[in-house]
Amino acid sequence: MNISGGAEGDETWGSNFWVTLTDPQTNTLFFACPATGQVSWEPPVGTFVLPPNPEGEWWELSDESRGGIPYYYQTKSGETVWERPDGFIIPLGIIQQTALGRRLSQTGMRNKQSPIPDTPDRPGYQRSR
């Protein structure tokens, strides 16, 4: 539902919604806007910033080697899955296209577990229910 009555209101709201992320290489917190791809070391003034969840978050990323299909990464467990999990998911597709985002998706998550779920043509494939 569009409370403001127009697409411009949606864009303005989206640009004012930020999430707190952790750089997996340095454990440094930073802030990102999923709608615009902007990142900042400081929380942006006048915006809503989602604090980190101690249980971890689900991130939606895309597998560019498979035409950009989405996959989901759980930050605490390091689990990656193809099927959309239940609950709140932070869409990081735009941020993933930035230099920092590429580092997060290629380097940081690979340190925990392969960033892209196994598939029938990859070892360890398991399809969830």
Side-chain angles (χ1 to χ4, degrees):
M1 179 174 170
N2 184 355
I3 296 172
S4 67
E8 183 178 329
D10 289 343
E11 292 171 10
T12 301
W13 186 90
S15 65
N16 286 308
F17 176 78
W18 288 62
V19 294
T20 306
L21 303 174
T22 302
D23 182 325
Q25 291 183 337
T26 65
N27 275 342
T28 302
L29 291 179
F30 67 98
F31 305 90
C33 178
T36 66
Q38 292 176 282
V39 294
S40 173
W41 294 114
E42 300 294 325
V45 176
T47 63
F48 174 81
V49 178
L50 183 70
N53 183 337
E55 299 301 314
E57 292 99 11
W58 280 103
W59 292 355
E60 180 180 43
L61 300 160
S62 63
D63 180 354
E64 294 307 318
S65 70
R66 298 186 179 280
I69 62 171
Y71 68 95
Y72 304 91
Y73 170 74
Q74 212 288 334
T75 59
K76 186 167 184 173
S77 69
E79 177 184 10
T80 54
V81 297
W82 289 112
E83 294 179 11
R84 186 178 181 91
D86 292 332
F88 185 73
I89 298 169
I90 300 171
L92 296 182
I94 293 174
I95 294 167
Q96 187 179 13
Q97 302 307 314
T98 67
L100 178 60
R102 283 189 296 275
R103 189 175 92 198
L104 289 173
S105 65
Q106 294 172 358
T107 306
M109 291 182 296
R110 188 168 291 139
N111 291 339
K112 292 183 178 184
Q113 183 178 14
S114 173
I116 299 175
D118 290 329
T119 59
D121 60 338
R122 292 186 178 178
Y125 171 72
Q126 292 180 345
R127 183 159 181 90
S128 60
R129 297 176 196 217

